[in-house]
Amino acid sequence: MRRINKTLEPIEKHEAHNLPTDLEQPWTDSPPSFAHLPENEREAKRSQWVICSNMTTDATLVAETIGSVKRQPKAFAVTDEQNQQQLRSLYSASHGTFLDQIDNKIMEIGLKQWQQAHTTLGTHNVAKMAWEWCQAQPSIQFVNLDDSRL
C-alpha cells in the first residue's frame, strides 16, 4: 500500500514493548485433542479452535492497518476511507454462512480498537477480544466452514 517516493513520510517507528509473560494466549497454541467428546463435537471444536485462531490474527491486522493509516496518513498512498473500503472488501465473505458474521466481527473489532493496536499489549487485547467472541459462539457453526481465506 506504500508508494516509494520522496513525498511520503517514513512510517513511524515504535519502541519495542515487552508483553507480560503471565498473559494467556491460547490462540497461539495447538488445539487440544477434545478426545473426551463425541466425534462430531470433537471435529466442531477443533474447527472452531483453528478458525478462532485465524480470526485473532485477522482482527489484529485490521486494527493495526486502520491505526497506521489514521496515525500517519501522509506515510501511505491511500486515505483512511480507501483503506477501510479495501479492508471491508477483503473481509466480506457474503456466502450466507457463519463466515459472514466472523468477517463483520473482524471489521467491528478493528474499527473500534485501532487506537490500542500499536503496542504489543494492545494487539494482545485485540486478539483476546476476537478470541473470546469466537469461542463464545456455538461450535456447530464452525462445521464445514471454509476459512481458507482467513
Side-chain angles (χ1 to χ4, degrees):
M1 283 193 202
R2 280 189 69 145
R3 273 194 304 192
I4 300 176
N5 69 35
K6 294 181 182 187
T7 63
L8 295 176
E9 293 179 0
I11 294 180
E12 179 181 312
K13 299 284 187 214
H14 293 283
E15 290 184 33
H17 298 278
N18 292 326
L19 187 62
T21 56
D22 61 339
L23 295 176
E24 291 185 22
Q25 299 181 56
W27 52 89
T28 62
D29 297 337
S30 297
S33 72
F34 301 112
H36 62 287
L37 298 173
E39 188 174 344
N40 61 334
E41 288 180 48
R42 196 175 343 168
E43 290 303 314
K45 290 300 260 180
R46 188 175 298 121
S47 180
Q48 181 177 18
W49 186 282
V50 171
I51 291 169
C52 290
S53 292
N54 291 339
M55 183 185 174
T56 63
T57 302
D58 287 356
T60 301
L61 178 65
V62 167
E64 288 175 331
T65 302
I66 290 170
S68 293
V69 173
K70 282 185 178 287
R71 278 190 296 282
Q72 291 186 277
K74 292 181 181 178
F76 296 91
V78 294
T79 65
D80 178 42
E81 186 177 312
Q82 291 169 329
N83 181 48
Q84 288 185 38
Q85 265 185 331
Q86 289 173 353
L87 290 168
R88 279 191 184 93
S89 69
L90 182 61
Y91 294 100
S92 176
S94 299
H95 295 131
T97 67
F98 186 62
L99 189 56
D100 294 328
Q101 290 179 43
I102 292 171
D103 282 344
N104 288 336
K105 195 63 175 181
I106 288 169
M107 286 303 301
E108 178 186 318
I109 291 170
L111 288 166
K112 287 183 179 177
Q113 302 301 320
W114 67 266
Q115 290 176 319
Q116 66 174 329
H118 68 285
T119 67
T120 303
L121 183 57
T123 56
H124 173 271
N125 291 338
V126 170
K128 183 178 179 190
M129 187 178 295
W131 177 260
E132 289 175 349
W133 176 85
C134 192
Q135 286 293 307
Q137 305 310 305
S139 57
I140 193 70
Q141 299 273 32
F142 297 87
V143 174
N144 297 323
L145 188 64
D146 177 15
D147 78 329
S148 58
R149 61 142 200 94
L150 285 178

mmCIF file with all atom_site columns, all heavy atoms in Angstrom, residues 13-17:
data_model
loop_
_atom_site.group_PDB
_atom_site.id
_atom_site.type_symbol
_atom_site.label_atom_id
_atom_site.label_alt_id
_atom_site.label_comp_id
_atom_site.label_asym_id
_atom_site.label_entity_id
_atom_site.label_seq_id
_atom_site.pdbx_PDB_ins_code
_atom_site.Cartn_x
_atom_site.Cartn_y
_atom_site.Cartn_z
_atom_site.occupancy
_atom_site.B_iso_or_equiv
_atom_site.pdbx_formal_charge
_atom_site.auth_seq_id
_atom_site.auth_comp_id
_atom_site.auth_asym_id
_atom_site.auth_atom_id
_atom_site.pdbx_PDB_model_num
ATOM 1  N N   . LYS A 1 13 ? 8.331  4.783  13.766 1.00 0.00 ? 13 LYS A N   1
ATOM 2  C CA  . LYS A 1 13 ? 8.962  3.670  14.468 1.00 0.00 ? 13 LYS A CA  1
ATOM 3  C C   . LYS A 1 13 ? 8.462  3.655  15.913 1.00 0.00 ? 13 LYS A C   1
ATOM 4  O O   . LYS A 1 13 ? 8.363  4.697  16.548 1.00 0.00 ? 13 LYS A O   1
ATOM 5  C CB  . LYS A 1 13 ? 10.487 3.816  14.474 1.00 0.00 ? 13 LYS A CB  1
ATOM 6  C CG  . LYS A 1 13 ? 11.089 3.836  13.094 1.00 0.00 ? 13 LYS A CG  1
ATOM 7  C CD  . LYS A 1 13 ? 11.136 2.463  12.508 1.00 0.00 ? 13 LYS A CD  1
ATOM 8  C CE  . LYS A 1 13 ? 11.905 2.497  11.209 1.00 0.00 ? 13 LYS A CE  1
ATOM 9  N NZ  . LYS A 1 13 ? 11.466 1.620  10.218 1.00 0.00 ? 13 LYS A NZ  1
ATOM 10 N N   . HIS A 1 14 ? 8.130  2.486  16.407 1.00 0.00 ? 14 HIS A N   1
ATOM 11 C CA  . HIS A 1 14 ? 7.697  2.333  17.794 1.00 0.00 ? 14 HIS A CA  1
ATOM 12 C C   . HIS A 1 14 ? 8.749  1.553  18.557 1.00 0.00 ? 14 HIS A C   1
ATOM 13 O O   . HIS A 1 14 ? 9.342  0.622  18.024 1.00 0.00 ? 14 HIS A O   1
ATOM 14 C CB  . HIS A 1 14 ? 6.360  1.573  17.878 1.00 0.00 ? 14 HIS A CB  1
ATOM 15 C CG  . HIS A 1 14 ? 5.223  2.333  17.292 1.00 0.00 ? 14 HIS A CG  1
ATOM 16 N ND1 . HIS A 1 14 ? 4.623  3.371  17.942 1.00 0.00 ? 14 HIS A ND1 1
ATOM 17 C CD2 . HIS A 1 14 ? 4.579  2.211  16.115 1.00 0.00 ? 14 HIS A CD2 1
ATOM 18 C CE1 . HIS A 1 14 ? 3.649  3.857  17.198 1.00 0.00 ? 14 HIS A CE1 1
ATOM 19 N NE2 . HIS A 1 14 ? 3.602  3.163  16.076 1.00 0.00 ? 14 HIS A NE2 1
ATOM 20 N N   . GLU A 1 15 ? 8.942  1.940  19.784 1.00 0.00 ? 15 GLU A N   1
ATOM 21 C CA  . GLU A 1 15 ? 9.853  1.181  20.632 1.00 0.00 ? 15 GLU A CA  1
ATOM 22 C C   . GLU A 1 15 ? 9.254  -0.195 20.884 1.00 0.00 ? 15 GLU A C   1
ATOM 23 O O   . GLU A 1 15 ? 8.040  -0.373 20.902 1.00 0.00 ? 15 GLU A O   1
ATOM 24 C CB  . GLU A 1 15 ? 10.042 1.892  21.976 1.00 0.00 ? 15 GLU A CB  1
ATOM 25 C CG  . GLU A 1 15 ? 10.834 3.180  21.870 1.00 0.00 ? 15 GLU A CG  1
ATOM 26 C CD  . GLU A 1 15 ? 11.073 3.794  23.237 1.00 0.00 ? 15 GLU A CD  1
ATOM 27 O OE1 . GLU A 1 15 ? 11.216 3.039  24.217 1.00 0.00 ? 15 GLU A OE1 1
ATOM 28 O OE2 . GLU A 1 15 ? 11.109 5.024  23.306 1.00 0.00 ? 15 GLU A OE2 1
ATOM 29 N N   . ALA A 1 16 ? 10.123 -1.152 21.101 1.00 0.00 ? 16 ALA A N   1
ATOM 30 C CA  . ALA A 1 16 ? 9.658  -2.500 21.409 1.00 0.00 ? 16 ALA A CA  1
ATOM 31 C C   . ALA A 1 16 ? 8.937  -2.485 22.750 1.00 0.00 ? 16 ALA A C   1
ATOM 32 O O   . ALA A 1 16 ? 9.346  -1.806 23.687 1.00 0.00 ? 16 ALA A O   1
ATOM 33 C CB  . ALA A 1 16 ? 10.831 -3.460 21.455 1.00 0.00 ? 16 ALA A CB  1
ATOM 34 N N   . HIS A 1 17 ? 7.847  -3.202 22.824 1.00 0.00 ? 17 HIS A N   1
ATOM 35 C CA  . HIS A 1 17 ? 7.093  -3.312 24.059 1.00 0.00 ? 17 HIS A CA  1
ATOM 36 C C   . HIS A 1 17 ? 7.198  -4.747 24.539 1.00 0.00 ? 17 HIS A C   1
ATOM 37 O O   . HIS A 1 17 ? 7.053  -5.678 23.747 1.00 0.00 ? 17 HIS A O   1
ATOM 38 C CB  . HIS A 1 17 ? 5.624  -2.953 23.838 1.00 0.00 ? 17 HIS A CB  1
ATOM 39 C CG  . HIS A 1 17 ? 5.439  -1.547 23.374 1.00 0.00 ? 17 HIS A CG  1
ATOM 40 N ND1 . HIS A 1 17 ? 5.421  -0.495 24.236 1.00 0.00 ? 17 HIS A ND1 1
ATOM 41 C CD2 . HIS A 1 17 ? 5.293  -1.029 22.137 1.00 0.00 ? 17 HIS A CD2 1
ATOM 42 C CE1 . HIS A 1 17 ? 5.250  0.632  23.552 1.00 0.00 ? 17 HIS A CE1 1
ATOM 43 N NE2 . HIS A 1 17 ? 5.169  0.320  22.271 1.00 0.00 ? 17 HIS A NE2 1
#
